[in-house]
């Protein structure tokens, strides 16, 4: 049976690895550790197809330890115990190097079972994860390991691996193999920094190629069909989703409609309407707020319309909301005000509700004095000076007018009625 192309092309040396120059360039820390033969516990964190398993294999080749592999999605605690049982035996005279893929799927007890042997050096752990290890890996295990972050491989470097794969397929092919100009870059770009996915796309493209004039021609059209949607990295509830949500929110706050539309489109491509709707609704109050108070109702109408329409039509009202928020004047006076007030409440800075504001039924309970509440609508300008905050906080200012046209107009209005100190 023919080996999968991705396995056959897997790099054997650090120089053959594409991408991760920040880790593997001459003089980089990880490269120096590997070349010196250091036996350090490591956690490799990053997207799929970026070289984590490949580099773990290269490290295993440079050590005298016995290599064991586990995938945390299928492994059990017994599998861990079986490996640990080989420590100090003829099965692993030099110790054990355990490569644990997808460590985020191991529970705390399974991760803890490794600690004692990591501590005494009889087991070296190289774990990989596609999720943030500081959220999913047990703290005591992290404290004994060094985290290295792997990044999506840029298209120009992925293309090197694609060309290498095409050369191998030339040798495998029963007919001369050629391709249209731009096919390698198209595959490298469409696969979103996932080298494994790019290599698999090459293999499928070659298998699906139709003979023409005594040769196999790989076309851009076929490459596009095989690689479609491949550039999306999206895992609902995972790091990719939260990164996109953060990027959308910050683009809206930064008044960049182009970036906002880009990140919105990535949510739409993934079929997720809920997450961008929440971010749009939040931004309307958090980032626009009193600078354009009507934004809340407009965005709510857009979100409701989108949820009723569903995809693909939902793209239109959501894009309208994103452009509105990105181009609207900005003010964070709402979030600053409620944050300051809530901080006082959490810290216990409260006090009794002023007598004037208590429920009017208190007047019939024989308390020392009547409520004395002044009804603002009975006074000029519908305002009268009286204390609303509790005594310990009576002079506190939580809300400060923003420097936008709307809030400055409100400030001028109330200064005219209340005076500058109002």
């Amino acid at each position: 049976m023919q080996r999968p192309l991705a396995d056959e092309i897997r790099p054997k040396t650090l120089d053959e690895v594409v991408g991760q120059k920040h880790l593997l360039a001459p003089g980089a820390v990880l490269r120096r550790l590997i070349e010196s033969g250091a036996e350090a516990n490591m956690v490799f964190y990053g997207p799929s197809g970026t070289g984590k398993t490949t580099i773990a294999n290269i490290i295993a080749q440079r050590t005298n330890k016995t290599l064991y592999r586990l995938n945390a999605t299928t492994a059990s605690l017994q599998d861990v115990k079986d490996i640990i049982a080989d420590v100090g035996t003829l099965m692993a005279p030099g110790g054990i190097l355990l490569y644990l893929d997808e460590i985020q799927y191991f529970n705390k007890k399974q991760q803890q079972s490794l600690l004692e042997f990591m501590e005494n050096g009889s087991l070296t752990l190289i774990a990989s994860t596609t999720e943030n290890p500081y959220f999913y890996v047990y703290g005591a295990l992290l404290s004994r390991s060094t985290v290295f972050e792997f990044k999506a491989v840029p298209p120009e470097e992925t293309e090197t691996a694609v060309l290498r794969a095409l050369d191998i397929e030339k040798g495998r092919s029963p007919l001369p193999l050629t391709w249209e100009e731009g096919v390698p870059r198209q595959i490298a770009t469409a696969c979103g920094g996932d080298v494994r996915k790019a290599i698999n796309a090459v293999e499928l493209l070659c298998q699906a190629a139709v003979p023409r004039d005594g040769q196999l021609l790989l076309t851009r059209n076929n490459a596009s069909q095989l690689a479609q949607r491949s550039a999306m990295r999206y895992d609902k509830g995972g790091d990719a989703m939260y990164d996109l949500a953060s990027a959308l929110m910050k683009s809206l706050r930064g008044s960049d409609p182009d970036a906002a539309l880009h990140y919105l489109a990535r949510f739409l491509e993934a079929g997720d309407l809920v997450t961008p709707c929440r971010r749009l609704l939040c931004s309307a109050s958090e980032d626009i707020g009193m600078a354009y108070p009507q934004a809340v109702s407009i965005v709510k109408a857009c979100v409701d319309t989108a949820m009723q329409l569903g995809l693909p039509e939902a793209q239109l009202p959501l894009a309208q909301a994103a452009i509105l928020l990105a181009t609207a004047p900005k003010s964070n006076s709402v979030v600053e005000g409620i944050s300051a007030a809530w901080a006082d409440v959490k810290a216990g800075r409260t006090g009794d509700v002023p007598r004037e504001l208590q429920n009017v039924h208190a007047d019939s309970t024989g308390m020392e004095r009547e409520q004395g509440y002044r009804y603002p609508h009975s006074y000029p300008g519908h305002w009268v000076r009286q204390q609303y905050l509790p005594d310990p906080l009576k002079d506190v200012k939580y809300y400060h007018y923003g420097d936008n046209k709307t809030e400055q107009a409100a400030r001028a209005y109330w200064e005219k009625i209340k005076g500058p100190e109002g």
Side-chain angles (χ1 to χ4, degrees):
M1 185 175 68
Q2 187 170 263
R3 291 172 61 194
L5 181 59
D7 186 50
E8 184 170 338
I9 202 176
R10 189 181 295 279
K12 302 295 190 298
T13 67
L14 294 178
D15 291 330
E16 293 176 353
V17 177
V18 296
Q20 315 315 323
K21 300 303 182 187
H22 63 295
L23 299 177
L24 300 177
V29 174
L30 181 57
R31 186 181 187 109
R32 295 205 309 270
L33 286 172
I34 296 172
E35 290 178 341
S36 68
E39 297 177 355
N41 299 303
M42 305 178 191
V43 175
F44 292 167
Y45 159 49
S48 301
T50 53
K52 300 188 296 295
T53 302
T54 294
I55 293 176
N57 287 337
I58 293 173
I59 292 174
Q61 294 169 7
R62 291 175 170 269
T63 178
N64 293 323
K65 292 180 180 288
T66 304
L67 176 65
Y68 289 81
R69 290 185 177 87
L70 285 181
N71 189 302
T73 58
T74 55
S76 65
L77 184 59
Q78 186 58 49
D79 294 319
V80 176
K81 290 179 178 178
D82 291 343
I83 290 174
I84 290 174
D86 289 343
V87 172
T89 69
L90 293 177
M91 295 292 294
I96 287 174
L97 174 63
L98 172 61
Y99 177 64
L100 180 57
D101 199 14
E102 304 292 352
I103 190 176
Q104 72 268 21
Y105 292 106
F106 257 17
N107 61 37
K108 184 175 180 179
K109 185 175 182 180
Q110 289 171 308
Q111 293 185 36
Q112 282 180 317
S113 65
L114 304 171
L115 292 177
E116 175 186 349
F117 302 93
M118 292 171 62
E119 190 73 33
N120 62 30
S122 56
L123 182 149
T124 300
L125 175 70
I126 299 179
S128 71
T129 176
T130 55
E131 302 293 346
N132 191 328
Y134 298 100
F135 295 159
Y136 293 95
V137 179
Y138 180 48
L141 191 149
L142 271 183
S143 71
R144 293 165 173 79
S145 309
T146 302
V147 177
F148 292 99
E149 182 176 1
F150 285 60
K151 299 179 180 179
V153 182
E156 58 272 16
E157 296 188 48
T158 303
E159 188 175 4
T160 301
V162 169
L163 291 170
R164 194 185 306 158
L166 287 169
D167 285 339
I168 292 177
E169 284 293 347
K170 274 186 176 181
R172 288 179 167 187
S173 177
L175 295 173
L177 180 67
T178 60
W179 49 86
E180 292 179 348
E181 184 179 356
V183 166
R185 175 52 68 98
Q186 183 175 8
I187 295 173
T189 301
C191 288
D194 186 330
V195 177
R196 186 191 303 112
K197 187 178 291 185
I199 301 306
N200 289 340
V202 169
E203 187 170 28
L204 290 174
L205 188 60
C206 293
Q207 291 172 357
V210 177
R212 294 183 187 177
D213 301 325
Q215 65 179 8
L216 294 177
L217 176 66
L218 309 182
T219 67
R220 288 191 298 273
N221 182 52
N222 287 340
S224 176
Q225 292 181 38
L226 279 173
Q228 63 181 336
R229 298 176 68 92
S230 292
M232 281 298 301
R233 289 190 181 279
Y234 195 84
D235 179 15
K236 192 168 178 63
D239 281 357
M241 186 195 82
Y242 289 111
D243 286 345
L244 283 182
S246 176
L248 174 59
M249 190 80 170
K250 289 170 181 172
S251 298
L252 296 171
R253 183 180 301 140
S255 302
D256 189 330
D258 301 305
L261 289 174
H262 171 79
Y263 294 116
L264 173 61
R266 289 170 69 165
F267 278 113
L268 299 177
E269 178 72 3
D272 184 354
L273 286 180
V274 175
T275 305
C277 284
R278 291 188 65 194
R279 293 298 92 204
L280 291 166
L281 288 167
C282 182
S283 181
S285 292
E286 181 175 347
D287 299 313
I288 286 77
M290 299 306 297
Y292 184 32
Q294 299 92 328
V296 172
S297 56
I298 297 173
V299 171
K300 178 63 165 59
C302 289
V303 165
D304 288 345
T305 302
M307 298 306 286
Q308 287 182 330
L309 289 173
L311 288 169
E313 291 85 356
Q315 64 183 293
L316 300 176
L318 292 185
Q320 180 182 350
I323 293 171
L324 171 72
L325 294 175
T327 57
K330 301 299 188 292
S331 172
N332 69 339
S333 60
V334 170
V335 67
E336 291 285 338
I338 188 59
S339 296
W342 204 342
D344 273 350
V345 171
K346 286 182 176 180
R349 293 188 287 270
T350 53
D352 295 332
V353 174
R355 179 73 180 92
E356 290 80 0
L357 304 188
Q358 292 175 8
N359 197 353
V360 293
H361 71 74
D363 290 341
S364 63
T365 61
M367 298 184 74
E368 292 182 0
R369 63 182 177 87
E370 292 185 358
Q371 184 180 31
Y373 173 62
R374 297 175 185 175
Y375 187 56
H377 296 298
S378 298
Y379 294 84
H382 302 267
W383 179 81
V384 63
R385 189 176 300 279
Q386 65 184 329
Q387 180 180 325
Y388 291 94
L389 279 168
D391 287 341
L393 301 169
K394 65 179 182 179
D395 295 321
V396 169
K397 296 289 184 185
Y398 293 122
Y399 172 65
H400 299 278
Y401 292 99
D403 57 2
N404 55 83
K405 181 179 179 181
T406 302
E407 288 184 272
Q408 286 302 307
R411 177 179 184 172
Y413 172 84
W414 285 110
E415 283 186 351
K416 183 178 179 180
I417 293 175
K418 299 181 182 180
E421 300 302 321

